Amino acid sequence: MTIQTKSPIGLDGVAAAETALSLVDGDKGALTVAGQPVGALAASSTFEDVAARLLSLATGTAYDAAEVAASLGKARVHAFERLPVLLPLFDGLRPIEAFRAAVAAMAPAAGLAPENVLIGAMPVLAAAIVRRQSGETPLPPDPALGHAADTLRMLRGEMPSQKEARALEIYLVTVSDHGMNASTFAGRVVASTQADLFMAVTAAYCALTGPLHGGAPEPVLEMLDAIQSEDRIAAWIDAALARGDRLMGFGHRIYRGRDPRADVLKAAISGLGTADMGLAGKVEAYARQALAKAKPDRVLDTNVEFYTAILLDGLGIPRQAFTPIFATGRVAGWVAHALEQQRKGRLLRPSAVYTGV
Ligand code: ACO
């Protein structure tokens, strides 16, 4: 695969590891996760299936999806038990910051593998943090539910419909892994020092929060809010591009065309039948045209974050929870990459171009 790069400083096209977990083919606009094209995987798998497959590939030891599901249920309960001590420490922090502190506070637990502690904790921490922000008490997990359904139940305070739980599950599967993205790379760097999974996942989450990576969906909704109505789309987007702003939810380092995850999520939104695609669809269409005109040398198409914003908003998830919910899916990839790195990788230690005197 050839990757056009304007500078090697962003490590474009540099292989930093060998992985069996996922393949991002930017030229073909294709993504393979755990051996399957992402669309087929999302259509046929639960989140627990995918977590088990990624962990099996990473470690060379078979993980059983039913056992992973049972362990994640226990791990959600374990994380919930830690909340009374943890939550008051985060008062005054923004949810994205409180979540960072909460992830950093996770630690090995008796009877649970570290990877399950981490995967299980994410939705419990996310839901508790956003509920506390709005003065509500956290809802205890139900270990008998699937991970996606319980995530949505804890976030919203009521049992989701099957359709809603399935839509969130498709999202969690779709974002579960994505090659050597910035957060996965950050996690692998930490794991390459033989630091443990808790250290690696904390680093990975920190990298996810930036708007050039996983922090984009909230700004996507802010853009839609600012545009307000169809008659304002052209003027708003033209002005943003003239100022040199980046349109959130468009462009990608690897894909030279459409991000295949965007279409998987778009289909999940249609399946839900509740999310309002009216203004969003028109903004997307205009933005693609405007970007093609503004940057004719670079294909800037819709990425996963645009439809993430519409899907999570359509599911009634508060926008401050978007990045923690991204982490709830991506953590499956993070722990698998960290385990794969510890098992097979070398210390990641690049060099820098010295510009001093
Ligand atoms: N809007 C406007 N212009 C853009 C956009 C955009 N969304 N994306 C890239 N460009 C422009 C850049 O300004 C640059 O222009 P220049 O050559 O005139 O300076 C040109 O396209 C090339 O950009 P690069 O910086 O080389 O692109 P890079 O590969 O570093 O960026 C990125 C990829 C960060 C995703 C970028 O497209 C972007 O900032 N998008 C908006 C934020 C976003 O949607 N983030 C989520 C990404 S998906 C994910 O991580 C899960």
Side-chain angles (χ1 to χ4, degrees):
M1 178 173 61
T2 41
I3 294 172
Q4 296 296 320
T5 173
K6 63 178 182 183
S7 157
I9 298 299
L11 298 180
D12 314 27
V14 175
E18 289 184 344
T19 185
L21 301 173
S22 59
L23 170 66
V24 183
D25 187 331
D27 291 341
K28 291 195 183 129
L31 167 64
T32 303
V33 178
Q36 259 192 285
V38 67
L41 187 78
S44 62
S45 318
T46 64
F47 177 71
E48 289 87 337
D49 291 334
V50 175
R53 285 165 68 169
L54 289 171
L55 289 167
S56 304
L57 287 166
T59 58
T61 307
Y63 281 64
D64 175 71
E67 280 169 26
V68 168
S71 296
L72 294 188
K74 280 188 204 148
R76 293 197 297 276
V77 172
H78 170 74
F80 188 80
E81 286 165 359
R82 302 204 56 202
L83 291 177
V85 176
L86 293 179
L87 279 185
L89 301 174
F90 310 145
D91 286 345
L93 298 181
R94 291 181 301 135
I96 199 170
E97 297 163 336
F99 192 76
R100 177 199 67 215
V103 170
M106 292 299 108
L112 280 169
E115 55 273 25
N116 291 330
V117 174
L118 283 158
I119 302 174
M122 297 283 157
V124 178
L125 302 176
I129 287 165
V130 294
R131 284 178 72 81
R132 187 169 171 99
Q133 287 265 325
S134 49
E136 293 161 311
T137 45
L139 206 66
D142 178 349
L145 286 179
H147 200 63
D150 208 20
T151 297
L152 205 44
R153 190 187 65 88
M154 288 186 287
L155 276 165
R156 300 200 322 200
E158 60 183 23
M159 193 61 196
S161 70
Q162 266 188 1
K163 243 188 196 175
E164 290 170 324
R166 185 64 200 136
L168 183 65
E169 183 142 66
I170 288 172
Y171 169 73
L172 296 177
V173 168
T174 300
V175 301
S176 61
D177 197 36
H178 198 241
M180 192 59 75
N181 60 87
S183 58
T184 298
F185 180 52
R188 277 193 90 126
V189 169
V190 174
S192 83
T193 70
Q194 297 297 332
D196 72 20
L197 257 54
F198 296 91
M199 306 292 178
V201 165
T202 303
Y205 172 70
C206 291
L208 187 74
T209 58
L212 299 192
H213 187 14
E218 203 179 333
V220 166
L221 287 189
E222 283 161 9
M223 172 175 75
L224 297 176
D225 288 350
I227 291 174
Q228 283 175 4
S229 57
E230 199 179 329
D231 56 311
R232 287 166 42 91
I233 295 175
W236 196 95
I237 288 181
D238 292 348
L241 291 177
R243 281 194 306 271
D245 290 356
R246 290 184 177 213
L247 299 180
M248 292 293 127
F250 296 89
H252 199 274
R253 172 60 65 85
I254 309 278
Y255 294 119
R256 290 295 164 264
R258 218 167 158 72
D259 178 339
R261 299 168 299 174
D263 291 326
V264 179
L265 297 189
K266 195 173 182 182
I269 294 168
S270 324
L272 199 56
T274 50
D276 180 13
M277 282 292 293
L279 181 65
K282 294 196 171 79
V283 167
E284 185 199 5
Y286 188 82
R288 290 174 69 201
Q289 269 179 34
L291 284 166
K293 224 185 279 170
K295 308 277 172 197
D297 301 335
R298 167 88 179 212
V299 180
L300 295 171
D301 210 325
T302 318
N303 67 43
V304 67
E305 301 287 58
F306 189 82
Y307 285 108
T308 293
I310 316 299
L311 178 63
L312 298 188
D313 190 52
L315 285 170
I317 295 175
R319 55 182 77 177
Q320 314 92 290
F322 284 5
T323 304
I325 292 305
F326 191 168
T328 296
R330 181 56 58 84
V331 69
W334 289 337
V335 293
H337 275 275
L339 289 165
E340 190 181 53
Q341 180 68 35
Q342 286 175 339
R343 192 163 77 99
K344 292 188 162 172
R346 286 180 73 214
L347 175 70
L348 288 167
R349 202 296 186 196
S351 54
V353 175
Y354 180 59
T355 59
V357 287

